Amino acid sequence: MFIDTHAHINDEKLIDDIENVITRAHNEGVDVIVNSGSSYSSSKSSVEIASKYKEVYACIGIHPENCEEYNDDVEKFFIANANNKKVVAIGEIGLDYHYEGYNSALQKEVFIKQLKLADKLNLPVVIHSRDATKDMLDILKENKHLLKNGGLMHCFNGSVETLNEIIKLGLKVSFGGVITFKNARNSPSLITAVPLDCFTLETDCPYLCPEPFRGNINEPKNIPLIAKKISEILQINIKEIEEITTKNAKNLFKKLI
Ligand SMILES: [Zn+2]
């Protein structure tokens, strides 16, 4: 069994076809989908689909691009859902300095608030970091005491040095379709460098569709394409990649069955 550790099947591109999306994933051996929230409304719908479909689990969190949304109501919702059996983590949370006009001070504040909340609720975190490596590592190092429930640096595509810092903090990384892209020059060195117990697989669907379908709407069914690429780089049988990454995902998200 494969696990997609970061998906957005509640996205408008997939939600209307969600039952077929889950069936197609199932047909490729992807039997667990961890759906990520990124706003208040998508966190709510993440919980809804997780309660409706046994294969789906939920993360709840406010993505840095939506940091203005974070308020007491959101926090109350997170607290109220922390003990839900299908809510496995707080995420995705983090920093994103990619687009002009971002508010780094507010992003940092909201990120740290959610790290504190996850710690209080005994949940791991799913972290999004884009064009913000230095601030991200600074915050994680200063708040290492808040990371005892573990965390996943999703869609990781940084340097081997950054990877090593993340692993030192006790976090895992997940690899997505980007590693299959022809211009993904640092992927082989990253995959060779990552300890076998420190990575998982993700689609980040509907975005980042792996080769040979790059540019299409991505779905959890494409997880084996990412596993295949890793198996080629590491010269390890794909079955073993499947077992290793499923075990790693279950070690991180304790509520997965
Ligand atoms: Zn995402």
Side-chain angles (χ1 to χ4, degrees), residues 95 108 111-112 115 132-144 165 169:
L95 302 175
K108 287 182 201 173
F111 178 39
I112 294 168
L115 288 177
T133 305
K134 190 190 174 294
D135 283 1
M136 175 55 68
L137 287 177
D138 286 348
I139 289 178
L140 293 176
K141 283 178 194 166
E142 280 162 25
N143 295 280
K144 191 170 189 275
E165 298 281 349
L169 288 159

Side-chain angles (χ1 to χ4, degrees), residues 2-255:
F2 284 110
I3 297 180
D4 184 349
T5 58
H6 189 97
H8 301 274
I9 58 170
N10 56 343
D11 184 279
E12 57 180 11
K13 293 193 179 74
L14 296 171
I15 189 80
D16 292 338
D17 198 28
I18 191 165
E19 287 176 15
N20 291 323
V21 167
I22 292 169
T23 303
R24 285 193 288 268
H26 197 55
N27 291 343
E28 299 300 324
V30 184
D31 292 323
V32 169
I33 300 165
V34 180
N35 192 78
S36 188
S38 56
S39 61
Y40 188 19
S41 65
S42 66
S43 293
K44 281 195 267 191
S45 82
S46 194
V47 174
E48 275 163 31
I49 60 169
S51 59
K52 194 162 171 200
Y53 302 103
K54 69 174 191 326
E55 302 84 352
V56 180
Y57 290 78
C59 298
I60 49 179
I62 302 296
H63 185 287
E65 283 178 356
N66 301 320
C67 59
E68 293 87 1
E69 273 191 13
Y70 197 83
N71 60 26
D72 288 348
D73 286 347
V74 174
E75 202 158 285
K76 270 184 212 140
F77 172 77
F78 290 174
I79 293 166
N81 281 280
N83 289 324
N84 181 324
K85 284 197 303 253
K86 302 293 290 291
V87 172
V88 298
I90 297 294
E92 56 188 302
I93 61 174
L95 302 175
D96 192 323
Y97 298 168
H98 188 69
Y99 296 105
E100 288 291 310
Y102 59 84
N103 182 342
S104 63
L106 186 61
Q107 286 194 14
K108 287 182 201 173
E109 185 190 318
V110 168
F111 178 39
I112 294 168
K113 275 187 183 165
Q114 292 181 96
L115 288 177
K116 286 183 177 155
L117 189 64
D119 176 57
K120 199 169 99 187
L121 300 173
N122 286 313
L123 287 170
V125 284
V126 174
I127 303 171
H128 169 103
S129 178
R130 192 177 189 195
D131 298 344
T133 305
K134 190 190 174 294
D135 283 1
M136 175 55 68
L137 287 177
D138 286 348
I139 289 178
L140 293 176
K141 283 178 194 166
E142 280 162 25
N143 295 280
K144 191 170 189 275
H145 60 287
L146 301 175
L147 301 173
K148 61 180 186 307
N149 299 299
L152 187 67
M153 190 63 78
H154 107 85
C155 198
F156 186 73
N157 196 33
S159 66
V160 171
E161 292 71 35
T162 306
L163 171 74
N164 290 336
E165 298 281 349
I166 291 166
I167 302 293
K168 243 194 276 171
L169 288 159
L171 305 175
K172 296 188 198 311
V173 297
S174 68
F175 295 120
V178 172
I179 65 154
T180 69
F181 296 170
K182 292 188 177 67
N183 55 354
R185 266 170 282 127
N186 54 345
S187 298
S189 55
L190 264 185
I191 288 157
T192 321
V194 71
L196 284 180
D197 59 351
C198 290
F199 73 97
T200 66
L201 308 173
E202 70 163 84
T203 56
D204 203 15
C205 65
Y207 317 105
L208 300 173
C209 198
E211 292 288 2
F213 306 120
R214 187 174 180 181
N216 291 345
I217 294 175
N218 198 6
E219 290 187 24
K221 68 165 182 181
N222 291 325
I223 282 286
L225 297 172
I226 299 158
K228 182 168 161 273
K229 181 73 185 183
I230 294 174
S231 109
E232 285 164 10
I233 294 170
L234 292 180
Q235 302 276 301
I236 294 177
N237 189 293
I238 189 163
K239 192 80 206 150
E240 219 173 306
I241 299 296
E242 180 178 346
E243 282 164 14
I244 289 166
T245 52
T246 292
K247 190 171 160 209
N248 294 344
K250 288 183 175 181
N251 276 339
L252 175 66
F253 301 127
K254 302 271 189 287
K255 295 181 192 171

